[in-house]
C-alpha cells in the first residue's frame, strides 16, 4: 500500500511538473521573443531613420561619392545597434542603370533574405520582419531579419535589412529550462519522500494491526495494539483492542462451554455403559427364551435386542466423536495393503448387501497398494461408505475401486441409487444429517458414521470427498498419503469414476442357488474398460464371502 500510494503521488507529481514546466517554458520563450522583437523593431526603425537622414543631407553627387557613402553607412549601422547585427543595403530594382553597388556586412548570409520578404519590403512603407535560423558553423541559432525602404541619392530606391541574432535569448531560455528541470526533479524527490513518510505513518499501524489480527487468528488472544495520542489511528487502535477483548471473552466462554459439552458427552457415554451392560444381560436372557413367549412379547424381545445394539453403536460413536473434539484421537499407523482392508470391509457389508439384494463389484489392483495407515480407522471408513452405498443403492450395483500412485492410495465407493442434490452434498458429512429426513435408517446407523469417517481421513492427512447427482447415484473417495508428511495434491482415482450398466439384466443373474453358475460373465460387467490396468473382481451379493 505504501509503495502504491507513493507511486501514485509520484505519477501525479510528475504529470503536474511536466505540465507546469511546459507552460512556464512556453511563457518564458514567448516573453523573451516578444520583448526582443519589440526592441529590434524599435532599434531598426531608428537606424533606418538615421540612414535616410544621412542620405538626404549628403553633398555627394557623383557615383563614387554615393558608393563611398553607402559603404560607410553600412559599417556605421552595424555598430550602432544594442548588439551585433548584420546590415544589407540592396538596390530594389536590379535592372537599374545605377552604378552604385549593393553593400552588406555578411555576404555569406544573404541567402537568409527570402524573395517574399523582399517583395513585402519593396511594396510597403512599413517595416517587415521574418524569423530565420542563422548558421554558426556547429549548428544554427535563431534570428530575425527586419527590412525597410530608403532612398539613396543618385542611385534611387534601396532596401535596408537588419539581421539580428537571438542567441542570447536562446541561452537564457535554455538556462530557464534547465532550472525548471532541476526544480521539477527536486520537487518530485521531495514529493516522493514526503509521501513515503506520511503514508508510513498510516501504513505502519495498519501493518501492525494486520500482524496482531493474524496472531489473534492463530489463537494468541492476548495480543493488543499500542494506542498513543488522540488521532484517528489511535482511535482505531483502541477500537481494535476493545474488539479483541470482546472476542477473547466470547471465545473463552465458548471454549469453556464446548469443554463442558464434550466432558458431558464423554461422561454420559461412560456412565451409560454400566446400566447398559445390565440391561444388555437382561435383554439377552429374554432374547434367548423368546420362543417360550407369546408372539407379541417375542417381537418385543427382538426389537429390544436390536435397539440395544444400535444404542451401543451410538455410545461408541459418541465416545469417538468426543475424542476427536478433545484432540485425544491417536493414530496407530503401520504399513498395510489397502486391498486387504477393503476386502475385510466388503466381508462385513455382505449380510446387508444380501438383505438389500445389491450387487457389489470390487476393482482391485494386481500389485499391492501399500501405505502407512491405521487399519481400524480406515476399515471403519470403508465400511461406513459401503453401508451407506448399499443403503441408498435402490437394488442397483455398488462399485469399489482401489488404486495408487507415487504419493497416494485411494478407495472409491460408487452407487447408482437415488443420489443427492448439490446443496445436500455440502452437508453430507454433518453430524446426524440425512439427505431425506423422512427416510428411515434400515441398516440401523447412528448418523455419525460419515462425520467420524471424515475425522479419520483428516487424522491421516488425507481427503474424504463426495459427489452425487439426483438419479445418477453418489460416489465417495478416500485418499491417503503413502507416508506421513506427504501433502496430497491429487488422487489416483477420479471422484465420479464408473458407470451404471445399461445393457445388462441384473435380475437375470440372481438365482436362488449360489455358486459359480450364479456369477455373471466378466466381459459384460460395467466399468471394465475404464479400469483396464486394474482387473475387476465382480461378485454377486450372495457370493461376497468367496470373492477372494
Amino acid at each position: 500500500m505504501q509503495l502504491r500510494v507513493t507511486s501514485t503521488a509520484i505519477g501525479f507529481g510528475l504529470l503536474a511538473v511536466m505540465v507546469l514546466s511546459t507552460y512556464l517554458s512556453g511563457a518564458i520563450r514567448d516573453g523573451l521573443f516578444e520583448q526582443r522583437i519589440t526592441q529590434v523593431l524599435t532599434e531598426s526603425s531608428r537606424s533606418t531613420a538615421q540612414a535616410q537622414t544621412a542620405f538626404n543631407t549628403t553633398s555627394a553627387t557623383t557615383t563614387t561619392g554615393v558608393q563611398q557613402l553607402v559603404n560607410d553607412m553600412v559599417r556605421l549601422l552595424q555598430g550602432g545597434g544594442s548588439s551585433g547585427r548584420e546590415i544589407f543595403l540592396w538596390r530594389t530594382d536590379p535592372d537599374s542603370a545605377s552604378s552604385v553597388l549593393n553593400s552588406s556586412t555578411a555576404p555569406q548570409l544573404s541567402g537568409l533574405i527570402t524573395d517574399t520578404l523582399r517583395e513585402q519590403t519593396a511594396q510597403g512603407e512599413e517595416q517587415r520582419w521574418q524569423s530565420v535560423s542563422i548558421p554558426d558553423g556547429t549548428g544554427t541559432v535563431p534570428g530575425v531579419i527586419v527590412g525597410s525602404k530608403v532612398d539613396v541619392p543618385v542611385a534611387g530606391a534601396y532596401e535596408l535589412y537588419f539581421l539580428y541574432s537571438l542567441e542570447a535569448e536562446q541561452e537564457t531560455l535554455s538556462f530557464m529550462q534547465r532550472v525548471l528541470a532541476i526544480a521539477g526533479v527536486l520537487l518530485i524527490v521531495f514529493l516522493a519522500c514526503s509521501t513515503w513518510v506520511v503514508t508510513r505513518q498510516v501504513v505502519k499501524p495498519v501493518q501492525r494491526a494486520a500482524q496482531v489480527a493474524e496472531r489473534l487468528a492463530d489463537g494468541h488472544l492476548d495480543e493488543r495494539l499500542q494506542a498513543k495520542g488522540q488521532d484517528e489511528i489511535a482511535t482505531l487502535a483502541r477500537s481494535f483492542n476493545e474488539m479483541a477483548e470482546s472476542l477473547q471473552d466470547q471465545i473463552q466462554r465458548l471454549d469453556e462451554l464446548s469443554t463442558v459439552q464434550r466432558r458431558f458427552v464423554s461422561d454420559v457415554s461412560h456412565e451409560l455403559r454400566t446400566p447398559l451392560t445390565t440391561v444388555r444381560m437382561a435383554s439377552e436372557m429374554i432374547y434367548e427364551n423368546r420362543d417360550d413367549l407369546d408372539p407379541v412379547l417375542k417381537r418385543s424381545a427382538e426389537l429390544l435386542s436390536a435397539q440395544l445394539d444400535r444404542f451401543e453403536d451410538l455410545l461408541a460413536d459418541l465416545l469417538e466423536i468426543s475424542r476427536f473434539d478433545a484432540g485425544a484421537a491417536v493414530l496407530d499407523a503401520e504399513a498395510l495393503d489397502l486391498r486387504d482392508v477393503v476386502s475385510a470391509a466388503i466381508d462385513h457389508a455382505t449380510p446387508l448387501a444380501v438383505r438389500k439384494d445389491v450387487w457389489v463389484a470390487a476393482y482391485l489392483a494386481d500389485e499391492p497398494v501399500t501405505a502407512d495407515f491405521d487399519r481400524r480407522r480406515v476399515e471403519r471408513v470403508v465400511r461406513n461408505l459401503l453401508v451407506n452405498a448399499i443403503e441408498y443403492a435402490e437394488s442397483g450395483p455398488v462399485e469399489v475401486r482401489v488404486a495408487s500412485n507415487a504419493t497416494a492410495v485411494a478407495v472409491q465407493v460408487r452407487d447408482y441409487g437415488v443420489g443427492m442434490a448439490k446443496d445436500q452434498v455440502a452437508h453430507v458429512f454433518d453430524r446426524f444429517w440425512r439427505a431425506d429426513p423422512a427416510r428411515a435408517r434400515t441398516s440401523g446407523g447412528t448418523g455419525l458414521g460419515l462425520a467420524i469417517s471424515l475425522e479419520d481421513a483428516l487424522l491421516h492427512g488425507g481427503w474424504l470427498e463426495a459427489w452425487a447427482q439426483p438419479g445418477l447415484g453418489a460416489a465417495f473417495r478416500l485418499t491417503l498419503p503413502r507416508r506421513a508428511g506427504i501433502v496430497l495434491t491429487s488422487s489416483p482415482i477420479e471422484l465420479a469414476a464408473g458407470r451404471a450398466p445399461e445393457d445388462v439384466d441384473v435380475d437375470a443373474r440372481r438365482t436362488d442357488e449360489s455358486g459359480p453358475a450364479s456369477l455373471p460373465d466378466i466381459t459384460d460387467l460395467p466399468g471394465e474398460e475404464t479400469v483396464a490396468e486394474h482387473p475387476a473382481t465382480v461378485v454377486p451379493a450372495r457370493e461376497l464371502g468367496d470373492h477372494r
Side-chain angles (χ1 to χ4, degrees), residues 49-120:
Q50 180 184 354
Q52 188 63 58
T53 301
F55 288 144
N56 293 336
T57 59
T58 184
S59 59
T61 57
T62 63
T63 300
T64 303
V66 173
Q67 184 69 57
Q68 183 64 40
L69 176 62
V70 168
N71 294 337
D72 292 341
M73 181 57 65
V74 168
R75 289 191 294 271
L76 178 64
L77 291 176
Q78 183 184 23
S82 58
S83 62
R85 59 183 178 177
E86 304 295 340
I87 308 298
F88 302 87
L89 187 57
W90 290 353
R91 187 169 48 245
T92 300
D93 185 5
D95 297 329
S96 175
S98 174
S99 58
V100 179
L101 303 177
N102 296 336
S103 180
S104 65
T105 58
Q108 71 278 9
L109 301 178
S110 59
L112 297 176
I113 303 175
T114 63
D115 295 338
T116 303
L117 179 61
R118 293 200 63 182
E119 291 177 1
Q120 294 176 352

Side-chain angles (χ1 to χ4, degrees), residues 81-401:
S82 58
S83 62
R85 59 183 178 177
E86 304 295 340
I87 308 298
F88 302 87
L89 187 57
W90 290 353
R91 187 169 48 245
T92 300
D93 185 5
D95 297 329
S96 175
S98 174
S99 58
V100 179
L101 303 177
N102 296 336
S103 180
S104 65
T105 58
Q108 71 278 9
L109 301 178
S110 59
L112 297 176
I113 303 175
T114 63
D115 295 338
T116 303
L117 179 61
R118 293 200 63 182
E119 291 177 1
Q120 294 176 352
T121 302
Q123 294 174 0
E125 298 296 332
E126 298 179 354
Q127 296 185 112
R128 297 289 188 270
W129 64 274
Q130 182 180 24
S131 297
V132 295
S133 295
I134 304 173
D136 62 350
T138 58
T140 59
V141 295
V144 63
I145 293 179
V146 180
S148 58
K149 290 174 60 177
V150 293
D151 291 325
V152 178
V154 179
Y158 273 68
E159 299 167 8
L160 179 61
Y161 295 98
F162 300 89
L163 175 60
Y164 292 89
S165 174
L166 301 182
E167 183 177 5
E169 285 73 15
Q170 180 63 45
E171 291 179 352
T172 301
L173 178 61
S174 299
F175 173 76
M176 294 300 298
Q177 289 176 338
R178 288 194 297 271
V179 170
L180 288 175
I182 294 173
V185 171
L186 294 178
L187 179 62
I188 291 298
V189 173
F190 173 77
L191 180 63
C193 294
S194 59
T195 304
W196 181 270
V197 172
V198 172
T199 53
R200 183 174 178 80
Q201 293 177 352
V202 177
V203 170
K204 190 174 181 180
V206 174
Q207 292 176 340
R208 175 58 181 165
Q211 294 173 356
V212 172
E214 291 177 357
R215 296 276 294 172
L216 288 172
D218 290 339
H220 303 279
L221 302 179
D222 295 330
E223 289 287 334
R224 295 293 185 272
L225 291 174
Q226 293 182 355
K228 297 180 180 179
Q230 299 296 326
D231 56 8
E232 290 80 0
I233 299 299
T235 302
L236 175 62
R238 283 190 288 269
S239 300
F240 185 92
N241 291 339
E242 292 176 359
M243 179 191 67
E245 290 176 359
S246 177
L247 287 176
Q248 182 181 17
D249 182 61
Q250 294 295 329
I251 290 174
Q252 287 177 347
R253 291 182 181 180
L254 291 175
D255 186 59
E256 292 174 357
L257 178 61
S258 177
T259 301
V260 171
Q261 290 176 339
R262 289 196 299 268
R263 185 181 299 115
F264 174 78
V265 173
S266 179
D267 292 344
V268 168
S269 300
H270 281 289
E271 292 298 327
L272 285 176
R273 285 192 173 275
T274 299
L276 181 61
T277 302
T278 304
V279 174
R280 165 64 70 182
M281 293 174 60
S283 173
E284 289 178 352
M285 293 180 63
I286 298 173
Y287 186 78
E288 290 175 356
N289 296 280
R290 66 185 182 281
D291 294 335
D292 299 331
L293 302 176
D294 61 78
V296 176
L297 294 179
K298 179 181 179 179
R299 179 56 180 165
S300 299
E302 293 173 349
L303 291 175
L304 177 61
S305 178
Q307 292 304 313
L308 282 175
D309 291 339
R310 185 177 179 185
F311 191 31
E312 285 184 339
D313 292 339
L314 178 59
L315 283 180
D317 288 347
L318 287 174
L319 283 173
E320 191 67 20
I321 284 291
S322 66
R323 293 190 189 98
F324 282 118
D325 291 341
V330 178
L331 191 66
D332 186 14
E334 57 181 324
L336 297 170
D337 189 343
L338 184 59
R339 298 178 303 173
D340 297 335
V341 176
V342 172
S343 298
I346 292 176
D347 287 340
H348 182 274
T350 297
L352 178 61
V354 172
R355 292 198 307 269
K356 301 289 289 187
D357 200 19
V358 171
W359 286 71
V360 176
Y363 295 77
L364 306 179
D366 288 337
E367 300 297 329
V369 182
T370 58
D372 293 341
F373 57 84
D374 189 326
R375 180 187 181 94
R376 178 181 65 87
R377 295 184 183 278
V378 172
E379 184 177 343
R380 178 170 60 190
V381 173
V382 179
R383 190 169 62 245
N384 284 332
L385 298 182
L386 272 172
V387 169
N388 281 339
I390 295 171
E391 174 75 19
Y392 292 95
E394 297 290 337
S395 298
V398 172
E399 299 174 358
V400 182
R401 286 177 168 79

Side-chain angles (χ1 to χ4, degrees), residues 446-511:
T446 64
L448 295 173
L450 289 179
I452 294 176
S453 297
L454 178 61
E455 296 292 346
D456 283 332
L458 296 177
L459 190 62
H460 283 83
W463 302 338
L464 182 57
E465 302 162 283
W467 170 92
Q469 285 190 9
L472 297 180
F476 288 82
R477 180 180 65 187
L478 172 67
T479 307
L480 303 175
R482 281 188 175 270
R483 299 290 180 269
I486 295 178
V487 178
L488 296 178
T489 58
S490 63
S491 179
I493 302 179
E494 184 181 353
L495 179 57
R499 61 182 178 84
E502 299 174 353
D503 55 349
V504 179
D505 186 1
V506 178
D507 293 331
R509 303 179 190 153
R510 299 171 181 166
T511 65

